Amino acid sequence: MKRKFGSVTVECVLGDITEQPDVDAVVNAANARLETGGGVAGAIHRAAGPGLAAEARPLGPIRPGEAVITGGHGLPNGFVIHALGPVYGQDRPEEELLAACYRNSLALADENGAASVAFPAISTGIFGYPVEEAAEVALRTVRDEAGDLRNVRLIRFVLFGQKDLEAHERALATRS
Ligand code: AR6
């Protein structure tokens, strides 16, 4: 599913964040120390190789809502943007911190000249953010930011399962 907001296309697809060769930047659902970890972070670091952690680690630790950018190393993408989502029920205000992840990641992509960015559903795995709520925050934030982007023209949400895809499609469909 796709929608256009001004000159920016937002789309939701089922897939693996490490298999998006046509996007300039992929976003990692990182940990504070920017180490390998599990979930998305584990998959990204495995695919990128040890050079990614070597570049990322000195940029940490980061706080919830923050993001940093590195090269893509063994990934087919020019950049990896490492964003730390809030742990649900612990890092507050969680909605604001999750929105900050999307806002800061988009700003870094845009400043670095990326035309396309792929996001996973940050915080909805190990960090426990309910996917319906997280999808609302994510889609509202990217829609609000779209008008200010100079370089980014495609924002892709890459969802790992049908339920997560449907939650994001519903949130995308209802954004006016
Ligand atoms: N591609 C796309 N989505 C994926 C992939 C993949 N390859 N793998 C998992 N997902 P999570 P978080 C989905 O736990 O909640 C790590 O250990 C997954 O099903 O990766 O922000 C870090 O080191 C879920 O819907 O991120 C941190 O410590 C979503 O991506 C912590 O987990 C996010 O799941 C971050 O937790």
Side-chain angles (χ1 to χ4, degrees), residues 64-139:
E66 292 181 342
V68 297
I69 191 165
T70 64
H73 296 266
L75 284 164
N77 317 98
F79 304 106
V80 176
I81 295 168
H82 308 257
L84 177 61
V87 176
Y88 194 74
Q90 180 180 309
D91 297 317
R92 295 198 171 88
E94 50 215 0
E95 224 182 281
E96 178 44 40
L97 293 171
L98 186 61
C101 284
Y102 287 96
R103 226 177 12 250
N104 289 329
S105 296
L106 282 175
L108 278 175
D110 206 51
E111 280 162 24
N112 283 275
S116 46
V117 189
F119 282 100
I122 298 171
S123 282
T124 66
I126 293 165
F127 285 177
Y129 212 120
V131 70
E132 299 278 345
E133 284 179 43
E136 276 296 318
V137 174
L139 270 302

Side-chain angles (χ1 to χ4, degrees), residues 15-18 28-32 35-44 83-86 119-129 131 158-161 164:
D16 186 321
I17 195 79
T18 66
N28 180 16
N31 51 70
E35 288 169 345
T36 305
V40 170
I44 284 184
L84 177 61
F119 282 100
I122 298 171
S123 282
T124 66
I126 293 165
F127 285 177
Y129 212 120
V131 70
V158 180
L159 292 320
F160 216 39
D164 292 357

Side-chain angles (χ1 to χ4, degrees), residues 9 11 41 52 54 56 58 78 80 93 95 113 124 140 142 147 160 170:
T9 299
E11 65 180 10
L52 181 65
V80 176
E95 224 182 281
T124 66
R140 185 199 317 139
V142 302
F160 216 39
R170 264 194 301 279

